[in-house]
Amino acid sequence: MKILWFTWKDVKNPLSGGAEAVNEELAKRLIKDGHQVIFLVAGFPGGLSEEKINGYTIIRLGNRWTVYWKAYKYYKKNLIGWADLVIDEVNTIPFFTKYYIKEKNILFVHQLCREIWFYEMIFPVNIIGYILEPLYLWLLSDRKVITVSESTKNDLIKFGFKNNNISIISEGITTEPVKNLELVEKFSQPTVLSLGSIRSMKRTIDVVKAFEIASQTISDLQLIMAGDANSTYGKKVVRFIGKSKFKKDIHYLGKIDINKKVELMQKAHLLVVASVKEGWGLTVTEANSQGTPAVVYNVEGLRDSVRNNETGIICQKNNPSHLANDIINLLKDTKKYKMLREKSWQWSKKINFEKSYRDFSMIIKNI
């Protein structure tokens, strides 16, 4: 099968995240199974206009905002009739391929934007995007859709998509689960971990505030943060840490490699996530695989990747005070902590890209 995949970022884009990691793993397996895959994506400074990665082709066109028009023009000039299947990935904005392609097509949606518009976009783009999103979702609501969580499926249904047109594939992680929890050594001091790019929608300042509150009860509590802080919000977080009276116990490491990430996920006691919403929350499952449960806000995606009081804790209210209380209570309740740690580790073993690809492959074969 020849697959043409429209999405605005590829795995090498500096802004790539969990969605691009999923695309990469699915594409690699498609190639291994004898399929051909071409991605049409946005360019970025230093990125090649065309390259092959793991057997699939990436063609980079325009930038974050012009890629939609450039991809349309490139398709019309070079790729009409090439594909057996076209995937239109909705990552904030769709490519509206249904209006100009004749080939079979399907949408791929990790999460809807909704309130993220107000965290990641400036005025008036945020208002315009928030108003237009329901409209363009309605225009696409006759399409079949692949998504990664019940939360996103429910969101799509709210905007007119039919339940039987929405298929959910398993998420997956590339991090190999530890073999034996008993052999995982934790930091000597209780440590909470915040991982990933420090952006407004991640609400990292809420994590720092929760840590400050929890530190008043657990005096030796430590916070380790790792991720790119080059955004305006990231710099704001770094300044906020610098002014904290607990700054000696907050350790910002910047961007880290995968080996350091795995080490931190093993040694930390808790992962803390306060995002506005997620498609799933891959870092949660990754941390679980290394023997670390998570405390998270009650939002789309995170309520899928965490089973409350079974594999982690979902806050009753999304604010630093409740987040802090959940951190304190779990770290003090060693019996419950051990149970969550064990169950989250066991569950993480079932969330892998082999299953994700089986789900994905079955869906696209039956379109």
Side-chain angles (χ1 to χ4, degrees):
M1 184 185 295
K2 296 177 180 177
I3 299 169
L4 179 58
W5 197 321
F6 290 74
T7 183
W8 85 263
K9 287 181 290 183
D10 67 85
V11 71
K12 287 192 174 182
N13 191 302
L15 297 176
S16 69
E20 289 68 47
V22 172
N23 295 352
E24 157 84 359
E25 293 301 321
L26 293 176
K28 284 196 302 187
R29 287 164 174 79
L30 286 167
I31 296 299
K32 188 177 179 181
D33 273 358
H35 302 292
Q36 296 179 53
V37 182
I38 296 177
F39 282 91
L40 297 185
V41 302
F44 56 87
L48 298 175
S49 59
E50 183 173 336
E51 68 175 306
K52 274 193 178 293
I53 301 177
N54 293 314
Y56 61 85
T57 300
I58 294 179
I59 297 170
R60 299 189 178 97
L61 306 160
N63 57 37
R64 170 70 181 90
W65 303 108
T66 63
V67 63
Y68 302 95
W69 173 245
K70 297 273 190 180
Y72 161 76
K73 287 172 60 178
Y74 189 91
Y75 166 81
K76 284 292 189 180
K77 183 178 179 180
N78 301 287
L79 290 170
I80 289 178
W82 177 83
D84 300 303
L85 175 68
V86 173
I87 298 173
D88 185 341
E89 184 166 338
V90 184
N91 193 335
T92 308
I93 301 171
F95 284 79
F96 296 103
T97 58
K98 71 173 252 187
Y99 290 107
Y100 58 85
I101 65 168
K102 296 287 194 293
E103 298 89 343
K104 290 189 296 184
N105 58 91
I106 191 167
L107 297 177
F108 191 14
V109 183
H110 289 269
Q111 68 189 53
L112 301 186
C113 208
R114 303 317 296 138
E115 56 269 46
I116 294 174
W117 286 107
F118 298 104
Y119 286 85
E120 294 295 317
M121 301 293 178
I122 61 172
F123 179 84
V125 176
N126 50 10
I127 299 292
I128 295 169
Y130 188 79
I131 292 170
L132 289 181
E133 188 176 22
L135 175 59
Y136 64 65
L137 288 172
W138 176 77
L139 291 171
L140 298 172
S141 62
D142 62 335
R143 301 290 91 184
K144 291 184 180 294
V145 190
I146 298 173
T147 191
V148 296
S149 68
E150 285 289 344
S151 287
T152 303
K153 179 177 180 177
N154 292 334
D155 269 355
L156 289 165
I157 290 171
K158 289 176 189 174
F159 290 99
F161 287 81
K162 294 178 181 177
N163 180 65
N164 59 3
N165 278 345
I166 306 170
S167 301
I168 299 176
I169 65 171
S170 169
E171 276 283 18
I173 56 172
T174 55
T175 311
E176 187 70 25
V178 294
K179 300 298 183 187
N180 187 339
L181 278 188
E182 301 305 318
L183 299 180
V184 176
E185 184 179 343
K186 296 293 184 183
F187 287 115
S188 58
Q189 294 173 297
T191 303
V192 295
L193 179 64
S194 175
L195 281 176
S197 180
I198 300 175
R199 295 156 50 200
S200 182
M201 66 160 288
K202 301 297 184 181
R203 294 193 285 206
T204 314
I205 284 179
D206 279 24
V207 175
V208 180
K209 289 179 178 178
F211 169 78
E212 290 176 329
I213 296 167
S215 292
Q216 295 173 39
T217 301
I218 304 175
S219 59
D220 60 343
L221 188 64
Q222 304 292 302
L223 170 62
I224 296 177
M225 300 172 60
D228 187 357
N230 284 328
S231 67
T232 301
Y233 180 80
K235 292 171 183 176
K236 178 181 176 182
V237 172
V238 172
R239 290 194 299 271
F240 187 87
I241 292 169
K243 296 176 182 177
S244 172
K245 69 177 182 179
F246 297 98
K247 63 183 178 182
K248 68 178 179 60
D249 297 321
I250 303 173
H251 313 279
Y252 173 58
L253 307 183
K255 292 180 72 172
I256 56 174
D257 63 25
I258 185 62
N259 293 326
K260 185 65 176 179
K261 179 181 176 182
V262 170
E263 177 192 339
L264 293 175
M265 289 191 296
Q266 289 181 3
K267 290 187 173 183
H269 293 80
L270 291 174
L271 178 76
V272 181
V273 188
S275 304
V276 174
K277 69 190 303 180
E278 296 282 352
W280 172 266
L282 280 177
T283 55
V284 170
T285 306
E286 288 172 338
N288 292 168
S289 77
Q290 303 307 301
T292 300
V295 178
V296 305
Y297 273 177
N298 185 11
V299 299
E300 288 92 342
L302 295 178
R303 67 173 73 104
D304 298 273
S305 57
V306 174
R307 293 173 174 170
N308 193 31
N309 289 311
E310 182 181 344
T311 67
I313 301 295
I314 300 175
C315 290
Q316 288 189 336
K317 293 185 179 179
N318 296 338
N319 59 54
S321 179
H322 277 80
L323 193 58
N325 286 338
D326 286 334
I327 291 169
I328 293 165
N329 292 337
L330 186 52
L331 288 177
K332 287 192 168 186
D333 189 340
T334 54
K335 184 178 179 180
K336 184 174 184 178
Y337 176 80
K338 186 175 180 181
M339 182 270 288
L340 294 183
R341 189 171 176 238
E342 170 73 26
K343 289 195 172 183
S344 66
W345 174 60
Q346 293 291 358
W347 189 31
S348 75
K349 297 178 187 178
K350 301 175 183 178
I351 302 171
N352 58 72
F353 280 115
E354 297 310 317
K355 183 178 187 310
S356 179
Y357 179 65
R358 285 196 301 272
D359 295 344
F360 183 83
S361 184
M362 187 65 66
I363 293 163
I364 65 173
K365 282 178 184 176
N366 293 318
I367 293 174

